[in-house]
């Protein structure tokens, strides 16, 4: 296989039969949209959407010292995660820079599933493999062992309940349990990246098509539609969720990104990046870094990643993500700005869009919060 050849998920033929517009995403040929991005976005907000997320990177960690190893390798306290629960965390470099943000599921006493972003899966696998030296723990590349489907939106619990006898009501946010969905063995997780309630279903690749079809049929009456990566991006932007390569990079520590809460200094033992992160925590207290804020447009022009944020003729920050918001009906963006301009309601802020300073208002994140 040549390095330029795209990888295909087990659902590739399904996406093509549905007329999806495909795109190269982190070396995978993935559906960008099936029809209207706006319609797909609003379906998830009001009904339900079905996503193929099989490009995500699954890494299994097992062994007597699996918990101690993950505590050393990652910034979070993984040893305190109960079996059947999940935790959002990060893996950092020695200098504190963010290599990736992760979700770690504890499947059993000595078994964990680490889910990395597609673009960083190999980097995370390599870092974990290297950091496992000296621990009674095995790191296994399970990217080919799983397909991953997600059902997101207010109708998703009802759709899934019609296909499983698993206790979905008892499944908390950031938890996972083994079950059977439409006769297919699955790890059913209740996490998500859309700001809505929803579920991720980790299954064997050979069961992916059958499960997609069963979910599609079960969702017919509830308005379920297939959704591509494009609306996933606008959904997570409205929900104020960071995207690696945009809000998170190796040049930022978790403290620079306003996510210092994921770093657990109180856990036992040393961990990779600890000394640098302790310095970053002090630095953030004494000299606040730029703050991640929301920007809401007053006009119609859409800001994009990398555009300068300005005030009084000075550059005060940079846009990390921007898009039209289908829910709010206007362009929105996330940006890192100087602390002096970070308070919600701050006016006189603009985004330099091809030489024109378009007016924006600083607003609190997230832009959108679902009703519980």
């Amino acid at each position: 296989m040549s390095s330029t050849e795209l990888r295909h998920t087990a659902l590739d033929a399904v996406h093509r039969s549905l007329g999806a517009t495909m795109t190269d995403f982190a070396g995978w040929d993935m559906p960008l949209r099936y029809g209207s991005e706006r319609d797909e976005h609003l379906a998830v907000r009001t009904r339900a959407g079905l996503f193929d997320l099989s490009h995500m990177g699954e890494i299994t960690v097992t062994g007597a010292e699996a918990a101690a190893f993950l505590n050393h390798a990652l910034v979070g306290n993984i040893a305190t995660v109960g079996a059947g629960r999940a935790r959002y965390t990060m893996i950092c470099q020695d200098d504190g820079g963010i290599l990736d943000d992760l979700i770690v599921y504890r499947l059993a006493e000595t078994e964990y599933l680490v889910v990395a972003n597609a673009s960083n899966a190999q980097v995370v696998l390599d870092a974990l493999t290297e950091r496992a030296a000296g621990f009674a723990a095995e790191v296994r590349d399970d990217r080919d062992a799983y397909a991953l489907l997600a059902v997101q939106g207010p109708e998703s619990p009802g759709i899934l309940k019609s296909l499983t006898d698993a206790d979905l009501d008892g499944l908390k946010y950031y938890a996972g349990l083994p079950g059977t969905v439409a006769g297919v063995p699955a790890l059913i997780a209740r996490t998500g990246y859309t700001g809505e309630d929803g579920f991720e279903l980790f299954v064997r690749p050979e069961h992916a098509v059958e499960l997609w079809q069963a979910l599609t049929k079960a969702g017919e009456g509830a308005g379920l539609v297939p959704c591509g990566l494009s609306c996933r991006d606008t959904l997570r932007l409205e929900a104020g969720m960071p995207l690696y390569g945009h809000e998170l990079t190796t040049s930022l520590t978790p403290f620079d990104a306003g996510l210092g809460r994921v770093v657990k200094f109180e856990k036992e033992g040393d961990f990779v990046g600890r000394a640098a992160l302790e310095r970053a925590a002090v630095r953030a207290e004494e000299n606040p870094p730029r703050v991640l804020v929301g920007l809401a447009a007053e006009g119609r022009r859409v800001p994009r990643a990398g555009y300068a944020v300005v005030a009084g003729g000075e550059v005060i920050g940079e846009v990390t993500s921007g898009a039209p918001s289908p829910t709010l009906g206007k362009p929105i963006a996330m940006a890192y700005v100087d602390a002096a301009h970070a308070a919600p309601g701050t006016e006189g802020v603009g985004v330099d869009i091809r030489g024109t300073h378009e007016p924006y208002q600083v607003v609190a994140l997230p832009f959108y919060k679902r009703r519980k």
Side-chain angles (χ1 to χ4, degrees), residues 71-77 89-100 131 249-267 269-285 289:
N71 264 12
H72 163 73
L74 311 178
V75 301
N77 192 347
T89 187
M90 293 182 185
I91 181 167
C92 290
Q93 301 178 144
D94 276 324
D95 67 1
I98 303 166
L99 276 175
D100 201 12
R131 294 175 190 188
T249 68
T250 50
S251 62
L252 295 172
T253 73
F255 294 94
D256 298 321
L259 291 165
R261 65 180 181 275
V262 305
V263 181
K264 302 300 181 190
F265 293 121
E266 71 276 12
K267 66 180 174 176
D270 196 15
F271 61 91
V272 178
R274 180 174 197 132
L277 289 168
E278 283 173 341
R279 291 193 295 274
V282 172
R283 200 166 59 237
E285 276 297 312

Side-chain angles (χ1 to χ4, degrees), residues 57-131:
E58 295 88 3
I59 301 161
T60 301
V61 177
T62 54
E65 294 183 330
F69 156 61
L70 288 170
N71 264 12
H72 163 73
L74 311 178
V75 301
N77 192 347
I78 307 305
T80 59
V81 178
R85 298 307 303 265
R87 185 156 295 164
Y88 176 79
T89 187
M90 293 182 185
I91 181 167
C92 290
Q93 301 178 144
D94 276 324
D95 67 1
I98 303 166
L99 276 175
D100 201 12
D101 61 335
L102 311 165
I103 295 179
V104 180
Y105 297 91
R106 188 171 197 163
L107 303 182
E109 188 59 30
T110 59
E111 183 182 4
Y112 295 82
L113 180 65
V114 177
V115 183
N117 285 297
S119 55
N120 295 327
Q122 190 63 48
V123 169
V124 173
L125 178 67
D126 292 346
L128 288 177
T129 303
E130 188 182 312
R131 294 175 190 188

Side-chain angles (χ1 to χ4, degrees), residues 299-358:
R300 308 302 308 164
R301 296 182 76 189
V302 179
R304 297 296 181 192
Y307 286 10
V309 182
V310 293
E314 299 289 315
V315 173
I316 58 152
E318 187 177 302
V319 171
T320 52
S321 296
S325 163
T327 304
L328 304 183
K330 57 186 170 189
I332 58 171
M334 286 200 281
Y336 282 110
V337 302
D338 294 344
H341 297 273
T346 300
E347 294 181 346
V349 170
V351 175
D352 187 337
I353 301 182
R354 297 187 194 89
T356 306
H357 292 181
E358 296 286 334

